[in-house]
Amino acid sequence: MGLDFRDAVFNSVIEVMRADPAAVILTNDMGAMGLDAIRAEMPERAFNVGIAEQNMMSVAGGMALAGKRVFVYGIIAHVTARCFEQVKLDICVPNLPVTIIGVGAGLAYGVDGPTHHGTEDIAILRSLGNMHIYNPADATTAFAAVKLAHGARRPGYVRMDKEVLPALYDAASMDFSAGLGMVAEGTDAVIVSTGVQTWTAKAAAEALAKDGLSVGVIDLFRLKPVDGGRLAALLSGKRAVVTLEEAVSSGGVGTIVAETMADHGLGIRLKRLSLGDGFLLGSASREWAAGHCGLSQGHVEQAIRDLL
Amino acid sequence: MHNIGFLTRKAAELRLAALETALCGKKGHIPPAYSWADVATALFYGGVLRLRPEEPRWEGRDRFILSKGHACLTLYAALADRGFFPPEELSRFAGAGSLLPGHPDTEIPGIEACSGSLGHGLGLGTGMALAGRLDKAPWRVFVVLGDGECNEGSIWEAAMLAGHQKLHNLVAIVDRNRLGATDFTDNYLTLEPLSERFRAFGWEAVDTDGHDISGLIETLTRARDREQGKPFAIIAHTTKGKGVPFMENSPLWHHRMPKGDEITTAREILRARIAELA
């Protein structure tokens, strides 16, 4: 059974807003069915501030300074890079309870051209102090991420995909506050992934198992802060690590894993799979880009084989 | 409320304190601090801003944002004098690890926002005013903008939203000193007709003498006490460097520091002005 990320996120937002009278939501003239439900139920707390993302972030900061807990919703490319300085100075420096919900992780809008690619957001927002970053791989995690981000009473960013996917986790038994999930156990190698690419990693590990290779999969759904000690313990003793992300090569999961290994003295062979350094012009569908940039299931399997 | 003699002397004292603060830090933007010094006097000593220095985060306070954060020397002087932090902090301005950097941040008692990257203050103020209206709060939001700062697109994004939302609880004061960092504003990007532009964005707007403290208090109080209507813009026509003639209305004087005889002259002028008003 497939679950939609947007439904999960807005179901979570509306629950939070029902419970927290100080919660409000701003959008840059973006629509979503879940947002319509919020507007219908609590119109005084839902603001369309127009197509003006710099101002939207300043307004979010101002409202938070005056006691509100603010959700901001828009397309990733527009609510991260365009208004970066407002996010930094008006939200992160004063450490305010503002949760940015971005839709269009990686190449979710790949066919819409580079204006709509969400491929640098992790790298830039990871540089901001006080910021927490969530990148869910399924609707269950997305639902939880909204609650965690709002409950943290600090700057947060929930990076949302558009795919309709089954649940990766059982919400009842999963501890989302850990920031990562061990999707598959393995003794030879580990794939560390984030977002919907975790499904590719999982499929690759299952295929490799048929050849007798024991490969684990870590879904790093909180990209900041990362519990480095916990991640290092999960990597320790393996012979190979492959990272997988639909983002530029700098600043994301590959960087996080390399940093963690360096910080904890882990000498394990590492291969980082990403979109590389640059831009994808043309209609960059996920499937095309996975083949073109080396992010397909086959590429992941080959990377593990090469390292082992 | 204080009489006009007291207020005029206070404005001169703020200018002298701003000069001494800059000299201690060996840096600072003195002329932009002087153009709005009379506006600051009206706000902080004219009974306009309702504040509790002993309780800087008092819920009922009026919110004040100096969006042109580089002009903070006057604000620091006023906050120290009003008791938000010890006056000795002024002598450590821009020092190693001291409380007061060259542009304000939110660690400083009495400061509501980090400012000095231009174009943020009106959006922050709009957000505060939206939240205040949602809570039916009695407090008001005052934002001082630079005129050069009104080159920033984000100012007009905020002006558009505040006008659309009819935020009567928001007051913007533009320090219209007609000078940017290197040149007269209208030589590189036309701002006029500035008050008409605000009106076109859904604001009530007035042009006023930014050095007439009594007039400023009257206008600011009237803007503050409205219970409905539009956001209110006051285009305060000012002179950059006001109070020290050799700094006045000169493109050379933005963040230039006085040296040697200039220091002596500036001190003498301001001290004489204070003595004359005592």
Side-chain angles (χ1 to χ4, degrees):
Chain A
M1 187 184 71
L3 293 167
D4 186 281
F5 280 86
R6 274 177 293 198
D7 290 346
V9 163
F10 283 108
N11 287 344
S12 193
V13 171
I14 202 165
E15 276 189 17
V16 167
M17 290 183 68
R18 281 175 185 146
D20 179 5
V24 299
I25 186 163
L26 313 179
T27 75
N28 56 341
D29 197 28
M30 279 288 288
M33 275 166 53
L35 192 56
D36 291 343
I38 294 169
R39 285 176 176 143
E41 189 175 319
M42 36 196 122
E44 74 288 354
R45 288 196 276 147
F47 298 90
N48 182 347
V49 299
I51 308 157
E53 294 79 17
Q54 296 180 74
N55 186 52
M56 178 160 68
M57 293 306 171
S58 294
V59 167
M63 294 190 87
L65 282 165
K68 300 302 174 193
R69 287 179 279 275
V70 187
F71 290 106
V72 180
Y73 173 59
I75 291 174
I76 282 175
H78 311 150
V79 296
T80 59
R82 187 192 192 98
C83 47
F84 179 76
E85 195 196 56
Q86 279 78 12
V87 175
K88 173 189 167 188
L89 293 175
D90 301 343
I91 296 171
C92 288
V93 173
N95 198 17
L96 295 171
V98 176
T99 301
I100 299 166
I101 298 170
V103 62
L107 297 174
Y109 291 119
V111 301
D112 287 296
T115 53
H116 283 60
H117 295 173
T119 46
E120 297 86 15
D121 55 318
I122 296 170
I124 62 173
L125 293 189
R126 252 192 93 222
S127 71
L128 293 178
N130 293 326
M131 176 63 86
H132 284 190
I133 302 175
Y134 298 88
N135 187 32
D138 73 345
T140 310
T141 317
F143 185 90
V146 169
K147 298 280 175 81
L148 287 169
H150 177 266
R153 303 284 192 266
R154 60 187 304 136
Y157 172 46
V158 178
R159 190 174 190 261
M160 183 162 69
D161 216 289
K162 294 198 313 147
E163 306 284 344
V164 176
L165 292 163
L168 191 61
Y169 300 106
D170 171 18
S173 61
M174 180 67 189
D175 174 17
F176 290 103
S177 66
L180 56 80
M182 198 79 209
V183 173
E185 302 283 346
T187 53
D188 295 323
V190 182
I191 306 163
V192 185
S193 174
T194 190
V196 299
Q197 279 63 47
T198 296
W199 294 91
T200 305
K202 190 165 175 278
E206 285 163 3
L208 290 163
K210 289 174 187 154
D211 292 343
L213 294 173
S214 174
V215 178
V217 175
I218 296 171
D219 171 35
L220 200 61
F221 57 76
R222 192 181 65 216
L223 296 165
K224 189 178 183 186
V226 169
D227 182 344
R230 187 186 182 101
L231 179 59
L234 293 170
L235 301 179
S236 181
K238 310 299 185 291
R239 289 190 288 137
V241 178
V242 169
T243 62
L244 177 64
E245 59 195 316
E246 199 178 64
V248 292
S249 56
S250 60
V253 174
T255 300
I256 291 168
V257 169
E259 288 169 351
T260 303
M261 286 168 55
D263 289 347
H264 292 80
L266 297 179
I268 308 171
R269 297 191 72 192
L270 170 68
K271 175 75 176 174
R272 298 179 295 135
L273 303 181
S274 71
L275 296 174
D277 177 33
F279 306 96
L280 293 170
L281 304 186
S283 180
S285 72
R286 280 206 147 127
E287 299 70 24
W288 174 83
H292 182 74
C293 301
L295 300 182
S296 71
Q297 180 185 330
H299 287 101
V300 178
E301 290 175 30
Q302 192 57 49
I304 293 282
R305 289 184 207 280
D306 289 348
L307 290 179
L308 290 177
Chain B
M1 189 169 118
H2 303 288
N3 67 42
I4 189 62
F6 173 91
L7 293 167
T8 310
R9 192 177 77 238
K10 185 57 73 179
E13 287 172 359
L14 291 179
R15 287 185 170 97
L16 181 61
L19 173 71
E20 299 297 349
T21 300
L23 292 171
C24 288
K26 299 184 178 62
K27 66 170 291 168
H29 295 72
I30 298 169
Y34 283 6
S35 56
W36 83 287
D38 297 301
V39 171
T41 304
L43 286 164
F44 283 90
Y45 299 90
V48 176
L49 293 178
R50 294 158 298 192
L51 305 167
R52 289 181 182 169
E54 70 288 357
E55 195 187 343
R57 295 281 163 195
W58 168 49
E59 184 50 42
R61 73 192 182 280
D62 290 322
R63 272 61 171 176
F64 174 74
I65 299 169
L66 177 64
S67 194
K68 48 171 285 185
H70 58 282
C72 60
L73 290 167
T74 306
L75 180 58
Y76 290 167
L79 290 174
D81 184 54
R82 286 288 311 271
F84 280 87
F85 51 78
E88 303 80 67
E89 291 293 348
L90 298 177
S91 63
R92 292 193 281 272
F93 169 68
S98 75
L99 178 69
L100 305 176
H103 297 80
D105 71 36
T106 44
E107 259 190 6
I108 304 165
I111 298 292
E112 304 280 355
C114 297
S115 67
S117 177
L118 299 175
H120 292 238
L122 197 58
L124 284 162
T126 297
M128 290 174 178
L130 261 182
R133 188 175 67 183
L134 208 51
D135 293 340
K136 298 182 173 58
W139 48 264
R140 297 291 186 262
V141 183
F142 294 82
V143 182
V144 167
L145 303 168
D147 54 355
E149 180 180 15
C150 292
N151 293 169
E152 295 279 4
S154 53
I155 292 292
W156 299 101
E157 290 183 4
M160 208 172 345
L161 181 66
H164 176 83
Q165 290 281 348
K166 297 186 172 56
L167 295 175
H168 74 278
N169 53 348
L170 175 64
V171 181
I173 304 112
V174 181
D175 181 6
R176 183 72 172 115
N177 62 29
R178 296 185 172 266
L179 276 161
T182 65
D183 197 359
F184 291 92
T185 54
D186 284 55
N187 284 350
Y188 56 86
L189 207 54
T190 304
L191 287 167
E192 294 300 336
L194 191 53
S195 52
E196 277 182 42
R197 289 185 181 190
F198 273 97
R199 279 183 212 109
F201 278 65
W203 290 56
E204 192 173 342
V206 297
D207 286 272
T208 190
D209 177 351
H211 299 303
D212 169 11
I213 299 173
S214 298
L216 284 166
I217 292 171
E218 190 187 320
T219 307
L220 286 162
T221 306
R222 178 162 63 87
R224 183 192 71 185
D225 291 343
R226 295 167 314 135
E227 290 301 330
Q228 57 185 358
K230 303 171 176 180
F232 199 103
I234 298 169
I235 314 302
H237 292 269
T238 60
T239 300
K240 196 160 172 176
K242 176 77 175 179
V244 176
F246 67 80
M247 292 184 191
E248 286 182 1
N249 204 34
S250 165
L252 292 176
W253 285 93
H254 178 65
H255 53 63
R256 178 170 160 169
M257 286 294 292
K259 295 180 181 66
D261 290 347
E262 290 173 339
I263 297 172
T264 311
T265 307
R267 274 186 179 137
E268 280 172 1
I269 291 168
L270 293 168
R271 283 176 184 160
R273 180 79 175 137
I274 293 164
E276 168 195 329
L277 293 161

